[in-house]
């Protein structure tokens, strides 16, 4: 019951954050940290799964599902540790564009935790669990479909490549249906 309430709260925060991102082309530090804190607080309570829904400007939709999901699962101090992503067990029809980010820390313009000599968040105008740098960039700029710049929109590369900024994206998590998991 309590988890369900928290879950629905998180969903609201997540989609709100994405809408913010679409409008302002970047998350404010405060809401970003709050977002990560909330996901972390939830995901350490048990086993969680992640569903990402996407839509392009032709109203086509696709999804990616990950049977394993968490943020900062093994961190003593997640804030200090950069909220590393745990993700696994892909299924769906959007293709996987997140598994390469498994284990990566969250990078923002003012906190470079990535493996690039540059700051991927600055370079690609987003905030994400960048490696060097990304196969997805769901907090990128709202560039409305095809764009000439490279990989700095709301990208899910396995579905629409690196030069198509999606109309809509949403990340939702919920506890996995594991009878041993209370
Ligand atoms: Ca870097």
């Amino acid at each position: 019951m309590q988890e369900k309430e928290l879950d629905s709260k998180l969903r609201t925060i997540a989609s709100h954050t994405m809408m913010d991102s679409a409008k302002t082309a970047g998350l404010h530090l405060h809401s970003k940290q709050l977002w990560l804190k909330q996901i972390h607080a939830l995901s350490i309570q048990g086993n969680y799964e992640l569903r990402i829904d996407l839509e392009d400007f032709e109203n086509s939709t696709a999804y990616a599902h990950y049977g394993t999901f968490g943020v900062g699962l093994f961190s003593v101090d997640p804030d200090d540790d950069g909220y590393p992503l745990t993700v696994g067990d892909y299924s769906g029809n959007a293709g996987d564009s997140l598994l390469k980010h498994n284990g990566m820390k969250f990078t923002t313009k003012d906190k470079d935790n990535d493996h690039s000599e540059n700051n991927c968040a600055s370079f690609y105008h987003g905030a994400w669990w960048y490696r060097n740098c990304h196969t997805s960039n769901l907090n990128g700029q709202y560039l409305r479909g095809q764009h000439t710049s490279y990989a700095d929109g709301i990208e899910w590369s396995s579905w629409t490549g690196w030069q198509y900024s999606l109309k809509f994206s949403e990340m939702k998590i919920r506890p996995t249906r594991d009878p041993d998991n209370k």
Side-chain angles (χ1 to χ4, degrees):
M1 186 60 154
Q2 195 190 2
E3 273 194 358
K4 267 189 182 162
E5 280 170 20
L6 278 167
D7 196 23
S8 66
K9 272 184 198 163
L10 178 77
R11 289 179 188 206
T12 308
I13 286 164
S15 54
H16 174 72
T17 306
M18 292 303 157
M19 285 170 67
D20 255 3
S21 164
K23 284 178 191 159
T24 63
L27 307 180
H28 297 296
L29 181 63
H30 178 72
S31 61
K32 216 155 42 198
Q33 283 181 333
L34 179 64
W35 184 61
L36 285 166
K37 269 189 214 302
Q38 296 267 359
I39 298 174
H40 166 73
L42 266 181
S43 65
I44 58 171
Q45 290 178 9
N47 298 322
Y48 273 77
E49 57 189 309
L50 167 70
R51 182 183 163 108
I52 297 177
D53 284 293
L54 307 168
E55 186 177 349
D56 70 12
F57 282 86
E58 279 75 54
N59 301 320
S60 295
T61 59
Y63 76 97
H65 179 269
Y66 295 89
T68 307
F69 172 79
V71 168
L73 289 186
F74 312 106
S75 305
V76 176
D77 181 342
D79 201 42
D80 195 48
D81 200 27
Y83 295 96
L85 174 69
T86 299
V87 70
D89 188 18
Y90 164 80
S91 61
N93 59 10
D96 160 54
S97 295
L98 199 56
L99 288 178
K100 280 187 177 164
H101 295 266
N102 183 39
M104 294 299 100
K105 300 177 177 189
F106 202 83
T107 285
T108 60
K109 290 185 174 79
D110 40 23
K111 194 149 193 180
D112 185 343
N113 286 322
D114 61 46
H115 288 183
S116 166
E117 62 184 22
N118 301 307
N119 179 319
C120 295
S122 295
F123 214 79
Y124 295 107
H125 299 284
W128 201 238
W129 295 275
Y130 294 112
R131 184 180 289 269
N132 183 22
C133 275
H134 73 76
T135 51
S136 55
N137 194 39
L138 295 186
N139 290 321
Q141 302 176 105
Y142 198 71
L143 297 178
R144 300 172 187 277
Q146 291 288 345
H147 54 89
T148 54
S149 56
Y150 184 71
D152 55 356
I154 300 175
E155 324 281 352
W156 190 264
S157 64
S158 55
W159 191 42
T160 45
W162 277 276
Q163 291 182 293
Y164 189 96
S165 186
L166 295 165
K167 183 165 80 176
F168 174 84
S169 76
E170 186 176 51
M171 298 173 70
K172 291 181 287 196
I173 68 172
R174 70 178 179 194
T176 50
R177 293 169 201 276
D178 180 349
D180 296 329
N181 172 34
K182 289 273 174 182

